[in-house]
Amino acid sequence: MFVDWTYALRDWATYLDAAWLSLKLSLEAFALAFVLGLLGALARRSRHAVLRAPAAVYVEVIRNTPVLLQMFVVYFALPSAGLRLSPVQAGVLALGVNVGAYLTEIFRAGIQAVPRGQSEAARVLALSPLRTFAHVVLPQALRNVYPAVVNQLVQIILGSSLLSAISVPELTGTAMVINSRTLLTVQVFGIAAVLYLVLTNAVVLVAGLIGRVAFKPPLRPAERPRPLSAVRRLLPARSARPGQPVHKEA
């Protein structure tokens, strides 16, 4: 058994190259998904139906169809329309469009969670709508949805394994090639699984550090409510006896 693992690890350089390709494709797809999600969220919150309707159709179609089918459409169907893409380009486009639909709803929820008074205060300060969104609404919305956005990045890394179906030599596709040559199924796919764990945990760790730097803590932490304080406020005030001090609720 130990000899089998040693033989499987002889291709460690190939595994690392494939893992780097998976991470690179995932980051490119995430950048595309981030832009699509932000634009889609703004379109869905628009007052104009000509913008809301296409955004709603995009979200419903993408979220209710398999991502593997979407990859096949991009890679096999688009060339018939005159748009030829390489397997890597098709994979990045398919993953970006797929996750962009989910980020659309995530960003929309984050924007809606920002108190309306923030925008009204910016309007009083004579800030333009663009500056209000960029400097007031967007930072707070990103803070609200940052964990969900990081989770979507992790899902892209895991979903990149489907790119092996369109001949992209990423980590899973490379593991399948090595397995067909060595027939060490447990060892080959075990190494691939460990590399996926390393990639996703490294991304989460880096994202956590970025979040600590980018988002400052609140100026005034939320006060923990005292037990039964809400109930006591509903009870009628008791008159104090002569000589007994009156206790006021904090």
Side-chain angles (χ1 to χ4, degrees), residues 128-160:
S128 65
L130 181 59
R131 294 185 63 185
T132 299
F133 178 77
H135 298 287
V136 178
V137 177
L138 183 59
Q140 298 182 66
L142 287 178
R143 179 171 185 160
N144 293 335
V145 301
Y146 187 72
V149 172
V150 174
N151 182 64
Q152 290 301 313
L153 175 57
V154 173
Q155 293 301 318
I156 286 183
I157 296 176
L158 300 179
S160 65

Side-chain angles (χ1 to χ4, degrees), residues 224-235 249-250:
R224 178 178 297 179
R226 297 181 180 180
L228 301 179
S229 59
V231 177
R232 288 173 180 171
R233 292 192 184 97
L234 299 177
L235 297 177
E249 286 286 343

Side-chain angles (χ1 to χ4, degrees), residues 143 216-224:
R143 179 171 185 160
K216 297 180 181 179
L219 297 178
R220 187 178 301 173
E223 182 182 357
R224 178 178 297 179

Side-chain angles (χ1 to χ4, degrees), residues 46-223:
S46 175
R47 292 176 294 180
H48 305 287
V50 69
L51 295 177
R52 291 197 312 270
V57 171
Y58 162 65
V59 170
E60 291 300 321
V61 170
I62 297 300
R63 292 177 64 187
N64 292 283
T65 54
V67 60
L68 185 59
L69 177 62
Q70 297 167 15
M71 291 182 185
F72 288 158
V73 169
V74 173
Y75 185 60
F76 294 110
L78 288 185
S80 62
L83 182 59
R84 296 186 178 277
L85 300 174
S86 66
V88 171
Q89 293 173 338
V92 170
L93 178 60
L95 284 177
V97 170
N98 179 266
V99 178
Y102 293 91
L103 287 181
T104 295
E105 293 302 294
I106 291 174
F107 286 147
R108 185 165 72 110
I111 294 173
Q112 289 178 346
V114 177
R116 191 172 183 178
Q118 301 286 333
S119 300
E120 296 175 353
R123 194 179 304 114
V124 171
L125 295 175
L127 293 180
S128 65
L130 181 59
R131 294 185 63 185
T132 299
F133 178 77
H135 298 287
V136 178
V137 177
L138 183 59
Q140 298 182 66
L142 287 178
R143 179 171 185 160
N144 293 335
V145 301
Y146 187 72
V149 172
V150 174
N151 182 64
Q152 290 301 313
L153 175 57
V154 173
Q155 293 301 318
I156 286 183
I157 296 176
L158 300 179
S160 65
S161 61
L162 296 174
L163 299 182
S164 59
I166 56 176
S167 305
V168 176
E170 43 73 51
L171 185 54
T172 299
T174 300
M176 293 174 64
V177 173
I178 297 175
N179 178 63
S180 64
R181 186 179 73 246
T182 62
L183 300 180
L184 300 175
T185 304
V186 175
Q187 291 80 3
V188 169
F189 290 109
I191 294 172
V194 170
L195 288 176
Y196 276 116
L197 286 173
V198 172
L199 283 178
T200 54
N201 283 278
V203 167
V204 171
L205 177 61
V206 172
L209 296 177
I210 293 175
R212 292 180 182 179
V213 174
F215 305 110
K216 297 180 181 179
L219 297 178
R220 187 178 301 173
E223 182 182 357

